[in-house]
Each structure stands twice: as structure tokens, then as C-alpha cells.
Amino acid sequence: MFDQIKLSAWQAGLRGTLPQLSPQLSLPLRVELWNGERIDLSPDPPQVTIRIPGPAALRYLRSPSLYSLGRAYVEGAIEVIGRAADIIAVGNALAASGAVSGTASGAAPDTMRGRLAGALGLRKKRTRESDRDAIRYHYDVSNEFYAAWLDPNMVYSCAYFEDGDEDLATAQRKKIDHILRKIDLRPGQTLLDIGCGWGALVLRAAEQFGARCVGITLSENQAALARERVAQAELQDRIEIRLQDYRDVDGRFERITSVGMFEHVGVQHLKDYFARVADLLAPGGVAMNHGITTTDVDNGATPYGGGQFIDEYVFPQGELAHLATVVRAMQEGGLEVRDVENLRRHYAHTCALWTDNFESNAAHIRTLTDPRRFRIWHVYLAGCAYAFAHDRISLYQIVCGKAGSDVAQLPWSRKYMYA
């Protein structure tokens, strides 16, 4: 009885906070209690149902945040039914209501934590071993798992929707071509792809652009499949796939790409990372960094505990930097920024398509992993789509060259990118 009284108070308090957030905000949520009672938080039919198996699980609703709600769902403390996009929208509304009413940690604590960590140098301690383990935790689920919801070429990064109506496979091919044109890749040039995934970019670079490529990854699963694909394409003479840390690469390359990798480097290590890119770049060479950034200028976590959830369950050791931090680190590392493009809208759409694929193939995906990991990815992909759509995170492609290069090496315009 005491718990039901508290739930009723929580329900009334939540409804009282909603008008402060937005007069148009609705919450199509049903809460089903262990005793069969149902509580609807909107006159409209519910799109999301949260089932509470017992009184102990009520604490997740009394102090809702994206972390607490996500943790409860992933660990099986509550059951959540609905489309992933609706679950994330309702979860954000609950978390925002808690922040307004003071019942949950909102943006301010996360932001302050980011500022304090940056000021005191308390960012995550990392070693080569921790970096390798974090990569393998995320990417070595199984190749079959990723193939179930990615495009046929298994490109696990932001697609490029040139017209906006492309299917995922077409948009991913256009993304790769967009990158290779931006770096002005020419036949016979050497290309290093840092974080090559399952090899889609180096395959395209060798086959369509005539480049000689080295792709590196820390994921054994990715390296194995990438090598198989290179052999199937009979491109072993032009492509080498290595299981290698970027810090161990030797030589000089006329072109360097890094797509969706630098998020694993760590904010405090960005200068060293870009210095290594500059060292590996041949004189007159061009590099591109394609990666996710935070929109918090102090490099803090995303609001309402979303960053904490991703850190614990999805990307251990991952850190996002603000664009300003990235550009500064590039310059400090010996690189000159030449071109910057915001692809936030493209990544929101990419993640939405991945979410649709994941849910359409849910029955098959359940056979490829355990229930806990299934639930992690169920909400993670939709959560990313929401975060990109609402300007909490962004995606930038940054083209750069060695600082101090002769000005004649810079192009007059962007025409060459859109030939």
C-alpha cells in the first residue's frame, strides 16, 4: 500500500511538471503494476508500456533518468514494450520531467562532471590493453549480429544522403565516395584507413579509385571478415588488413582516413592522436577525420544520464569532444584544418534506419546474442537517433593536411569534391 501511495504521488507530480516542459508534450505511457493495476499518463492510447514486477522496481520511476531507466530495462528489473523510437521519446520525457521537478539528475550534474574531469585531468585512464578490450567488447559481438541490421557492405558509420531519399546501402556507398573525393584520392596513391571496420572503405578505394591500401583494426572479427572480402575481390595485391594499433603503424601515406574511430581515443589524448596522424601523413598528403562530437563546449556527458548509460553498457572508454576541442587538438598535433562538414542530420537518419532494421530482424537477432545485449542495442540505436536529432551529439567530417604546407597545396574550391 505504501508503494502504491508513492506511485500515485509520483504520477501526480509527473503530470504537474509536464506543462513546464512543453504545452504540447504528451506521454503515451502505460504503467502496469504487479497487482494488475494500470496507470495511463495520457488520454491517448499508450505507445509504450512499462511493466513493474514488484514494489522494489518502483524506484526507477520515482527518480527517472536515461541511465536509471535504461539500466532497469537492460538488467531485466522492468519490462518495456513498444517501438524503440517511442521508448526513447518517452524515456527522455520522463528524464526531463525528473530534472524539472528535482527528482532526477539532469543536464547540469553531467555537465559539471565533465567540466570537473577536464579541469582536474580525471578523464578515464587508458592503456593499449584497455583500448583493445573496449573495442573488442563493442565490435566482437559477432559479425552475424552486425550483418543483421547494417547494410550489405556492413558500413558501421554515418551514411551520406545526398538527396535524402536514398536507401541505406546507396547512402553508405555515397558516404565512402564522398570521403574519397574529399581527400582527392588518385590512382596509385597509398591510403591508410585507421579503424577500417569490415573493410568497405579500402575495398572501394582500391577497386574504384585504384589506391594501394592498408586498413587497421583492433577487432579480430572485423579483421577476419575484411580479409575474406579482400580475397573474394582478388585485391590482395592492393589491400592489406592488419590487426594493429594506430600507434604501431610505420611508414608514410599519401592519404589517411579515420571513420568512426577517434571517439575511442579519449579527449586528453586527441593531440597525441592527431600528431601520430601528422607523422604518418606524407608531405603534400591529405587526411580526413570522420567522427562523433558532443555539443557541450566543456566536453561533458550528454544530458539525463544518457552518456553514463553508453559508457557502462555500449562504449566503455569512449569519450566525445566538442568540435572546438577537436580543431584545437588537430592544430596542436601539427595538422591544418581545410574543410569541415556537419552531417548530424545524416547520422540521425542513419541510426533511425538501423533501428528499423534491428526491430524488423528482432527474432533473428535474438538468436545471435543474449537477451541482455539484445536489450542494450534495442535502446542504444534509437537513443542515438534521438540524440543526433535533438542536437545533443553531432558528426563532423574534417579534412586536413600538414600544418605549414605550401599554400599551393590547398585547392581553390570544393568543386573537386562533387565531380
Side-chain angles (χ1 to χ4, degrees):
M1 177 65 70
F2 178 72
D3 287 303
Q4 288 179 315
I5 292 173
K6 283 208 165 187
L7 181 60
S8 297
W10 165 82
Q11 178 189 359
L14 176 64
R15 285 185 170 138
T17 63
L18 292 183
Q20 300 178 45
L21 300 175
S22 170
Q24 292 80 35
L25 182 63
S26 63
L27 199 57
L29 170 65
R30 170 174 291 168
V31 179
E32 293 185 353
L33 301 182
W34 58 94
N35 62 3
E37 182 181 354
R38 294 178 173 179
I39 300 172
D40 289 337
L41 296 180
S42 170
D44 299 322
Q47 296 176 357
V48 176
T49 297
I50 296 178
R51 291 177 177 167
I52 308 297
L58 286 176
R59 67 181 184 273
Y60 298 108
L61 297 184
R62 294 191 200 118
S63 302
S65 71
L66 293 179
Y67 172 73
S68 66
L69 292 170
R71 183 171 183 269
Y73 172 59
V74 166
E75 301 297 347
I78 61 175
E79 184 180 358
V80 184
I81 302 169
R83 292 178 58 252
D86 295 330
I87 291 171
I88 292 299
V90 167
N92 273 274
L94 286 172
S97 71
V100 169
S101 63
T103 60
S105 61
D110 283 328
T111 301
M112 289 304 296
R113 183 173 59 190
R115 291 174 182 172
L116 182 62
L120 300 181
L122 299 179
R123 296 282 180 184
K124 302 165 191 172
K125 294 182 179 179
R126 53 180 74 235
T127 63
R128 288 173 182 249
E129 291 74 21
S130 67
D131 288 347
R132 180 198 61 211
D133 292 344
I135 292 294
R136 292 179 180 175
Y137 168 83
H138 185 86
Y139 294 100
D140 285 351
V141 182
S142 75
N143 290 335
E144 294 76 14
F145 172 82
Y146 283 97
W149 49 273
L150 292 176
D151 67 291
N153 286 323
M154 294 178 68
V155 183
Y156 184 35
S157 53
C158 174
Y160 180 63
F161 299 88
E162 189 174 23
D163 299 311
D165 58 357
E166 294 90 345
D167 60 38
L168 183 59
T170 300
Q172 290 292 16
R173 176 182 54 78
K174 286 187 174 184
K175 184 273 297 297
I176 293 175
D177 286 351
H178 192 46
I179 289 173
L180 299 180
R181 285 197 301 267
K182 278 188 171 184
I183 61 174
D184 197 19
L185 185 63
R186 310 280 181 88
Q189 288 183 331
T190 54
L191 168 68
L192 171 66
D193 189 25
I194 301 175
C196 66
W198 291 276
L201 188 145
V202 290
L203 283 164
R204 185 77 173 171
E207 193 166 32
Q208 298 297 321
F209 289 75
R212 294 178 291 120
C213 307
V214 172
I216 62 171
T217 177
L218 294 178
S219 165
E220 293 180 348
N221 286 358
Q222 288 184 336
L225 183 54
R227 286 167 181 158
E228 288 180 20
R229 290 182 163 183
V230 169
Q232 289 171 358
E234 298 182 347
L235 290 170
Q236 300 97 317
D237 61 328
R238 293 192 228 167
I239 302 174
E240 179 186 1
I241 303 295
R242 302 177 185 171
L243 193 65
Q244 187 176 36
D245 191 294
Y246 72 92
R247 288 162 287 201
D248 296 328
V249 178
D250 293 321
R252 294 292 182 273
F253 299 86
E254 291 161 294
R255 299 292 186 265
I256 297 176
T257 52
S258 176
V259 182
M261 179 273 174
F262 95 128
E263 299 91 334
H264 301 282
V265 170
V267 174
Q268 298 300 312
H269 300 279
L270 287 179
K271 174 185 174 181
D272 294 336
Y273 169 69
F274 289 123
R276 186 66 190 138
V277 171
D279 288 342
L280 292 169
L281 195 61
V286 180
M288 167 185 277
N289 190 82
H290 167 121
I292 303 171
T293 61
T294 179
T295 56
D296 179 76
V297 295
D298 296 299
N299 306 314
T302 54
Y304 309 129
Q308 186 180 1
F309 176 84
I310 290 176
D311 182 55
E312 182 169 333
Y313 287 103
V314 184
F315 274 115
Q317 296 281 37
E319 290 182 44
L320 300 184
H322 188 269
L323 174 63
T325 302
V326 177
V327 171
R328 180 185 181 114
M330 282 184 164
Q331 191 72 50
E332 291 174 338
L335 296 170
E336 175 192 27
V337 172
R338 297 181 179 178
D339 186 87
V340 179
E341 183 174 10
N342 183 328
L343 296 182
R344 178 167 70 89
R345 183 178 186 182
H346 297 253
Y347 219 167
H349 191 42
T350 302
C351 291
L353 292 177
W354 285 343
T355 302
D356 290 343
N357 289 347
F358 191 93
E359 292 190 316
S360 296
N361 296 311
H364 175 55
I365 293 172
R366 289 182 188 276
T367 69
L368 301 175
T369 189
D370 59 87
R372 181 175 180 271
R373 194 181 293 270
F374 177 91
R375 291 192 292 267
I376 291 173
W377 284 88
H378 183 220
V379 292
Y380 163 65
L381 293 173
C384 286
Y386 187 98
F388 281 112
H390 290 80
D391 198 23
R392 294 179 182 172
I393 52 178
S394 193
L395 187 288
Y396 286 95
Q397 290 185 343
I398 306 177
V399 179
C400 52
K402 282 181 175 289
S405 299
D406 190 307
V407 71
Q409 295 179 4
L410 276 64
W412 286 111
S413 72
R414 291 174 167 172
K415 287 183 180 179
Y416 72 97
M417 296 184 186
Y418 302 98

